[in-house]
Amino acid sequence: MKYYLTNIKAKDSISVILSKKEHRQIILNNRLKKTVKEKNLASLNIINQLKVNKNFLKANIIALYYPIKYEIDLLELIKLFPEKRFCFPKIINKEMFFVEYKKGINFIKTKYGAFEPNGSKDISKNIELYLVPALGMTKNNYRLGHGAGYYDKFFKVYHNNYKIGIIYQGEEVEFMTENHDIPLNSYLKG
């Protein structure tokens, strides 16, 4: 088990920072236990926060994600904000880019269980705001993802626009960041 010691607290207690892998296991186990009601409430909470978020409201082209079973579902935003353009991530040859959602675009399940749009036109350079799924977030806005690094690699190139991590309540974590980790601008808790 890999862990990092931070500061020693009162008497015999020691503060321990878990590894990213350990955080992932704990969070995924907790998420799999969430009820439909808890998931729906988290989605509603995030959507309500976005309805008053100045960065979301001023953005016209927004990167969204198609939720897998334990991620917060924000697809309702497409109906609530028809004037905005939404796009979704797609991975080809280990590179991520974003495809605009339009009526008639279908989502295809990948071998890893994610859903990707069947379109192919890359509009990554036009995105103004990113809503990024996360397993956890640090106080300094570093994202705990699944470990493949697709978002970090993407944000090394497309780093100028606002990035909001999306997590459930209680998923703020602490971990040792690595050179490839890219911080987001903020995060919202469902």
Side-chain angles (χ1 to χ4, degrees), residues 59-121:
N60 293 309
I61 303 174
I62 299 169
L64 195 49
Y65 58 91
Y66 196 102
I68 51 182
K69 63 182 172 183
Y70 50 79
E71 291 176 333
I72 295 176
D73 185 346
L74 300 179
L75 296 178
E76 185 68 20
L77 292 170
I78 296 169
K79 291 178 188 170
L80 293 172
F81 295 91
E83 72 282 4
K84 295 186 180 294
R85 294 168 59 194
F86 292 92
C87 53
F88 290 83
K90 184 168 186 161
I91 298 168
I92 294 181
N93 297 326
K94 297 188 179 186
E95 295 293 325
M96 185 171 77
F97 63 97
F98 284 81
V99 174
E100 186 171 1
Y101 172 79
K102 293 184 183 217
K103 274 198 183 290
I105 285 187
N106 294 316
F107 288 86
I108 300 163
K109 190 172 185 176
T110 68
K111 64 181 178 180
Y112 301 108
F115 289 87
E116 295 181 342
N118 65 354
S120 60
K121 185 178 179 196

Side-chain angles (χ1 to χ4, degrees), residues 2-6 17-20 23 138 142 144 173-181:
K2 182 179 178 185
Y3 62 90
Y4 302 94
L5 297 180
T6 56
I17 297 179
L18 300 175
S19 70
K20 289 180 179 180
H23 279 303
T138 70
Y142 282 94
L144 177 68
V173 296
E174 193 174 339
F175 58 81
M176 300 297 288
T177 58
E178 300 169 51
N179 290 338
H180 64 268
D181 290 333

Side-chain angles (χ1 to χ4, degrees), residues 46-59 62 81 84 129 131 162-164 166 186-188:
I46 295 290
I47 289 170
N48 285 337
Q49 291 174 66
L50 289 170
K51 286 179 177 178
V52 296
N53 183 289
K54 66 178 181 170
N55 294 296
F56 176 80
L57 293 173
K58 75 178 182 181
I62 299 169
F81 295 91
K84 295 186 180 294
L129 175 83
L131 299 176
Y162 205 84
K163 300 170 279 301
I164 302 174
I166 305 296
S186 65
Y187 60 93
L188 299 176

Side-chain angles (χ1 to χ4, degrees), residues 6-37:
T6 56
N7 54 352
I8 295 178
K9 297 190 177 184
K11 288 219 169 179
D12 298 326
S13 69
I14 297 176
S15 178
V16 175
I17 297 179
L18 300 175
S19 70
K20 289 180 179 180
K21 182 179 179 180
E22 290 166 323
H23 279 303
R24 282 185 194 105
Q25 289 173 319
I26 291 167
I27 291 169
L28 285 172
N29 286 338
N30 287 337
R31 283 188 177 189
L32 291 173
K33 295 174 188 170
K34 290 197 179 296
T35 65
V36 171
K37 184 177 180 180

